[in-house]
Amino acid sequence: MKSDAVKKGMQQAPHRSLFNALGFTEEEMERPLVGIVSSYNEIVPGHMNLDKITQAVKQGVALAGGVPVMFPAIAVCDGIAMGHVGMKYSLVTRDLIADSTEAMALAHQFDALVMIPNCDKNVPGLLMAAARVNVPTIFVSGGPMMAGHVGGCKRSLSSMFEAVGSYTAGTMTEEEVREYEEKVCPTCGSCSGMYTANSMNCLTEVLGMGLRGNGTIPAVYSDRIRLAKHAGMQVMELLKKNIRPRDIITEEAILNALTVDMALGCSTNSMLHLPAIAHEIGFDFDISFANPISERTPNLCHLAPAGPTYMEDLNEAGGVYAVMKELADVGLLHTDCMTVTGKTVGENIADAENKNPEVIRPIDHPYSKTGGLAVLKGNLAPDGSVVKRSAVAEEMLVHEGPARVFNCEEDAIDAIKGGKIVAGDVVVIRYEGPKGGPGMREMLNPTSAIAGMGLGSTVALITDGRFSGASRGASIGHVSPEAAVGGPIALVEEGDIIEIDIPNLSLNVRVSDEELAARRAKRQPREPKVTSGYLKRYAAMVTSGNRGAILEIPKA
């Protein structure tokens, strides 16, 4: 056992004395040590139930003969961090989580790990750590929130942000906003639409790192507790069979995840996290992979914010496995990939059934013949940009209009709420990328303000920052290279005509190469927004969005 390095032999007598201090018995010292990486905290609604999930996992591990030992991982609530300096600290936690989990796991020589994440950067951070540490590992998340109900309709957090925009536009009263405030987030769990947290938990299932239902069983269901116990038991099977994360997270598994992402209509943030996870296994993931996969993968689900269904509906319809079965039946998945069940993808999904063709469209009756995401390139984004195509109004798939240029999110929000943005405009928010932000803030506030003020089908937004999974509309993010490193987005001027053609995968500014070169020659680098602390170090090491905002040591 790996843990023998801290338990066996005379040289380890001091180590054993410290285990004695922990209350370990001789019997426990003979058994495998299983690290339980719990992301429980009392500030993130998606994590407030993880203490119960953790206890269930520990019971499962103990039932199967292991010794569970819990240690923590941090997590940020993107909703609470939204729209202020706190959002600079969201994406950057992904690497803190990966680094600290790697440190704890290797410092204490655990034989196996159970990862218990739920929200946003917590899931990919722990997947990155799993690939690095590469001991038998399984994931069990905290589960999605139930949808809220307002006026007889299901609602979620994106409805709340849009309600604020509607209030600003004068189409909703303060009392109506208050009703949304009280009802849209009714339970614990990751917010109930196909936002980033639920996207990544579903993709963890697809990657093979979580058991069936990990992405969709609601947080408040007792099934979630049973799932956690089974995960605890199953990690011991993985240990016996020596099945490790790098046996499961392969190039083919990541391409499976990207394919199912297209069918589900996941958050654009998956196009940051899949490259970062791929980087950990040595797979150079180019975001342009998305386009050929999207071309052959139909979009089968329109979960909020793209449509009227929610995670609980997807769960009842058969969950992620039902979506995978639709795709596998026409040869769109690699079905021989290994998973934490000890079986292949094909074996896992053999009996999956689509129980509601209104929630999961059959493969021959999709919402669209192409997938939910697209990567756009052109003279405005030579290295690419990302749009959630499935959440764009039909009339905005091709659009051109004058650029309204802002060098930070706050200025853009002031202009939108001040009525200075009109139909046809293309809002450009720059210097919000991984380096320029720093931290690549989510732009849910401006996109929600645009939608709430009735401009969602006439105004586009382009940024080197990123979007919440709750964003909808012609929202194009991850523009690379970013403004802070001199990308063309830094050269756009007020009134330049921006040309968006999502079906043809292009994003251009109608300015000649000669004029762009002249502007570049006159451009003066901007002073960094942050000059101390972790964000300064992060900005020095982070790459652009097209590479997943991974960290690299700068070249001398």
Side-chain angles (χ1 to χ4, degrees):
M1 289 188 293
K2 188 179 181 73
S3 61
D4 286 349
V6 294
K7 294 189 305 186
K8 301 289 185 181
M10 183 54 65
Q11 291 299 316
Q12 281 65 45
H15 305 69
R16 290 194 295 275
S17 70
L18 293 168
F19 280 104
N20 287 337
L22 290 168
F24 273 57
T25 65
E26 289 184 10
E27 292 82 359
E28 287 174 308
M29 295 292 283
E30 294 298 321
R31 296 181 179 182
L33 291 183
V34 180
I36 313 298
V37 188
S38 176
S39 304
Y40 168 73
N41 65 45
E42 295 181 340
I43 190 62
V44 182
H47 289 230
M48 64 184 288
N49 66 321
L50 295 192
D51 55 341
K52 295 176 176 59
I53 301 296
T54 300
Q55 288 305 313
V57 167
K58 292 174 72 175
Q59 288 177 344
V61 169
L63 281 169
V67 180
V69 183
M70 189 277 290
F71 64 87
I74 64 169
V76 163
C77 176
D78 275 21
I80 294 174
M82 194 71 65
H84 56 90
V85 68
M87 183 46 67
K88 294 180 185 290
Y89 286 91
S90 172
L91 178 60
V92 305
T93 64
R94 185 186 70 184
D95 296 275
L96 283 174
I97 291 161
D99 292 348
S100 59
T101 302
E102 173 195 355
M104 287 292 289
L106 295 179
H108 301 101
Q109 292 291 288
F110 287 106
D111 297 298
L113 297 169
V114 182
M115 306 294 197
I116 308 177
N118 211 29
C119 288
D120 289 56
K121 315 312 165 293
N122 192 244
V123 185
L126 290 179
L127 283 165
M128 291 162 66
R132 283 187 206 170
V133 176
N134 202 36
V135 298
T137 302
I138 196 168
F139 277 65
V140 56
S141 76
M145 183 183 290
M146 301 294 286
H149 290 81
V150 182
C153 298
K154 288 185 177 182
R155 301 293 186 199
S156 62
L157 185 65
S158 55
S159 309
M160 184 72 254
F161 278 91
E162 290 179 16
V164 175
S166 297
Y167 172 77
T168 303
T171 59
M172 188 175 283
T173 66
E174 185 174 350
E175 290 74 20
E176 288 171 326
V177 173
R178 180 61 61 88
E179 183 180 10
Y180 272 70
E181 185 179 326
E182 293 174 350
K183 294 181 177 178
V184 297
C185 295
T187 69
C188 62
S190 47
C191 296
S192 55
M194 188 53 82
Y195 310 146
T196 306
N198 291 325
S199 295
M200 293 309 302
N201 281 320
C202 286
L203 296 186
T204 297
E205 245 185 278
V206 182
L207 285 169
M209 291 299 294
L211 297 176
R212 183 176 195 162
N214 182 63
T216 60
I217 297 172
V220 295
Y221 281 16
S222 297
D223 271 356
R224 178 63 57 178
I225 298 296
R226 286 193 286 271
L227 180 73
K229 291 177 181 177
H230 284 136
M233 289 185 269
Q234 186 60 26
V235 79
M236 298 305 294
E237 288 298 310
L238 296 174
L239 181 58
K240 288 176 188 175
K241 296 175 180 177
N242 196 30
I243 298 174
R244 300 169 182 244
R246 287 184 211 159
D247 300 321
I248 296 170
I249 306 175
T250 61
E251 291 187 20
E252 290 77 15
I254 288 171
L255 294 176
N256 278 350
L258 185 54
T259 300
V260 178
D261 182 307
M262 295 298 173
L264 284 171
C266 289
S267 163
T268 52
N269 280 314
S270 62
M271 294 301 290
L272 281 175
H273 303 320
L274 288 176
I277 295 162
H279 180 71
E280 297 294 340
I281 65 164
F283 176 23
D284 187 11
F285 183 104
D286 187 322
I287 62 169
S288 294
F289 292 164
N291 289 337
I293 288 178
S294 180
E295 284 302 309
R296 62 177 180 263
T297 306
N299 178 228
L300 305 181
C301 299
H302 265 192
L303 293 122
T309 52
Y310 293 80
M311 294 304 297
E312 62 209 62
D313 302 312
L314 179 60
N315 187 63
E316 295 301 319
V320 175
Y321 275 23
V323 177
M324 294 175 71
K325 183 69 160 55
E326 292 280 355
L327 299 172
D329 283 349
V330 293
L332 291 175
L333 291 183
H334 299 279
T335 55
D336 56 351
C337 294
M338 180 52 61
T339 73
V340 291
T341 66
K343 300 177 181 179
T344 65
V345 166
E347 290 172 314
N348 286 345
I349 66 175
D351 64 346
E353 179 186 354
N354 183 351
K355 299 176 182 178
N356 189 338
E358 295 303 312
V359 176
I360 304 171
R361 289 280 185 92
I363 199 76
D364 58 357
H365 181 53
Y367 282 102
S368 65
K369 293 182 179 180
T370 53
L373 298 181
V375 173
L376 314 183
K377 289 189 175 183
N379 71 349
L380 189 51
D383 292 338
S385 60
V386 181
V387 63
K388 189 171 183 176
R389 173 164 48 187
S390 60
V392 179
E394 185 72 25
E395 57 268 35
M396 288 297 289
L397 290 172
V398 177
H399 177 78
E400 65 177 51
R404 304 300 308 281
V405 182
F406 304 93
N407 290 329
C408 66
E409 177 189 8
E410 289 82 358
D411 290 350
I413 291 172
D414 288 345
I416 295 165
K417 291 185 175 180
K420 297 177 182 178
I421 303 301
V422 299
D425 283 349
V426 178
V427 176
V428 177
I429 305 178
R430 60 193 182 189
Y431 295 101
E432 290 287 7
K435 283 184 180 293
M440 205 178 187
R441 289 195 287 179
E442 288 186 343
M443 301 293 149
L444 180 56
N445 272 349
T447 58
S448 297
I450 287 168
M453 296 182 74
L455 297 171
S457 60
T458 58
V459 169
L461 194 154
I462 296 172
T463 181
D464 54 6
R466 60 193 178 92
F467 295 107
S468 164
S471 292
R472 61 187 176 96
S475 304
I476 302 168
H478 307 197
V479 170
S480 301
E482 62 173 293
V485 298
I489 192 172
L491 308 178
V492 177
E493 295 182 357
E494 188 81 6
D496 285 348
I497 300 300
I498 306 290
E499 301 172 335
I500 300 166
D501 189 341
I502 294 173
N504 288 307
L505 308 173
S506 68
L507 177 63
N508 290 285
V509 56
R510 196 184 295 165
V511 175
S512 69
D513 292 345
E514 293 76 14
E515 173 61 19
L516 288 176
R519 292 181 187 181
R520 185 179 302 281
K522 293 188 293 184
R523 176 180 174 268
Q524 296 295 317
R526 293 174 61 88
E527 291 296 317
K529 295 178 183 177
V530 176
T531 58
S532 63
Y534 176 56
L535 288 180
K536 178 184 178 182
R537 285 181 280 129
Y538 181 87
M541 296 178 67
V542 71
T543 63
S544 276
N546 67 301
R547 298 189 58 207
I550 60 171
L551 300 185
E552 289 185 336
I553 297 172
K555 294 179 181 178

